[in-house]
Amino acid sequence: AHRMQQIFMVNAVSALKNCDIPIVYFRGTKDFVVPERNLLNIQTVKPDIEVVKFKTQHFLLQSAPQQAWRAIETFLNQCLYKDK
């Protein structure tokens, strides 16, 4: 319970605003642990964030590892070859 209370006290808005590297957000469309409003709040601060949605629950890296890896590869390739 204490750990959960500590999570709700974190405020990283300033760090997110100052982050100048590309960010990708993985969203499980069936995630009932982290609500979609969190993504919407992040997009308010950082509208250029890339969002990849998976038809899975909270532990998407465990439940969709191949799709997640492909999304990571795609994102990295886009970042690496963006200016070329």
Side-chain angles (χ1 to χ4, degrees):
H2 176 67
R3 184 174 172 201
M4 291 303 292
Q5 290 172 341
Q6 294 297 332
I7 289 170
F8 291 118
M9 296 178 73
V10 172
N11 185 339
V13 171
S14 178
L16 184 58
K17 280 182 183 178
N18 294 320
C19 182
D20 61 354
I21 61 171
I23 301 172
V24 63
Y25 184 103
F26 286 0
R27 170 85 186 131
T29 58
K30 299 176 185 178
D31 187 345
F32 299 108
V33 176
V34 179
E36 188 170 19
R37 73 175 176 268
N38 291 2
L39 169 59
L40 300 175
N41 290 339
I42 291 169
Q43 287 176 313
T44 300
V45 175
K46 200 78 166 171
D48 59 338
I49 192 167
E50 182 172 335
V51 178
V52 180
K53 294 188 178 185
F54 298 84
K55 293 180 182 178
T56 188
Q57 66 280 359
H58 182 66
F59 293 104
L60 62 87
L61 294 177
Q62 291 84 353
S63 60
Q66 291 83 13
Q67 296 104 320
W69 179 246
R70 282 194 298 275
I72 291 168
E73 281 184 315
T74 300
F75 179 73
L76 289 175
N77 283 325
Q78 288 171 352
C79 293
L80 290 172
Y81 303 113
K82 185 177 184 177
D83 296 327
K84 293 182 181 184

